[in-house]
Amino acid sequence: MKTQMIKLTSVAFMAVAILFSTAISAQDKQKKKKVETIEIQSSVVCGMCEERVIENMAFEKGVKDVKVDLETKVITLTYKTNKTDEETLKKAITKIGYDADELEADPEAYEKLPACCKKDAPPH
């Protein structure tokens, strides 16, 4: 009788452990697969700006896709939420030398931009 009770307890414990680990695994998969797309208003002006942003942001951790619309000056980023966040991406854009929504471009990075990529440069 005692042996039967131990076996039943062991089976119940194993069942609970399996259910718990399955639930955790499912949650982890959801977190890993979560991808978001954001639009950031910037100070990009020309094709060189577009190339610079795409090249630099492609190496940012978690970034899956980068698009730059020169007409609206909007940078569209698709990224993995478990790898990075919106604020980190905005800061990365400012370090390239461009404004990112409410964040001003890093002054040192901005000074290194070619004249055609400065905020006051006419569209070309």
Side-chain angles (χ1 to χ4, degrees):
M1 180 98 156
K2 198 173 186 181
T3 326
Q4 207 173 21
M5 184 72 119
I6 291 172
K7 285 182 182 179
L8 188 59
T9 305
S10 296
V11 169
F13 179 75
M14 293 288 280
V16 170
I18 290 170
L19 287 173
F20 184 70
S21 66
T22 303
I24 289 175
S25 177
Q27 287 176 350
D28 287 345
K29 286 180 183 176
Q30 285 177 345
K31 286 181 184 177
K32 288 180 185 175
K33 292 185 179 181
K34 181 111 169 134
V35 174
E36 285 190 16
T37 300
I38 57 169
E39 292 183 346
I40 299 172
Q41 190 66 45
S42 69
S43 56
V44 294
V45 181
C46 65
M48 285 177 61
C49 298
E50 179 180 13
E51 288 175 25
R52 184 173 285 106
V53 168
I54 290 171
E55 286 175 13
N56 283 280
M57 294 307 292
F59 290 104
E60 242 350 92
K61 186 177 182 179
V63 173
K64 302 290 286 172
D65 188 45
V66 182
K67 291 184 177 108
V68 179
D69 185 334
L70 293 175
E71 192 173 308
T72 61
K73 298 185 177 193
V74 171
I75 300 170
T76 304
L77 298 168
T78 303
Y79 66 97
K80 293 181 181 179
T81 58
N82 66 327
K83 298 284 184 184
T84 191
D85 58 42
E86 186 173 346
E87 208 52 39
T88 301
L89 295 173
K90 286 181 183 181
K91 287 178 185 175
I93 291 170
T94 65
K95 290 179 183 176
I96 302 169
Y98 301 99
D99 295 344
D101 286 339
E102 70 284 350
L103 299 178
E104 292 285 321
D106 177 88
E108 286 183 39
Y110 179 77
E111 286 306 314
K112 292 179 183 177
L113 292 176
C116 67
C117 294
K118 304 281 178 152
K119 294 177 196 179
D120 56 354
H124 51 281

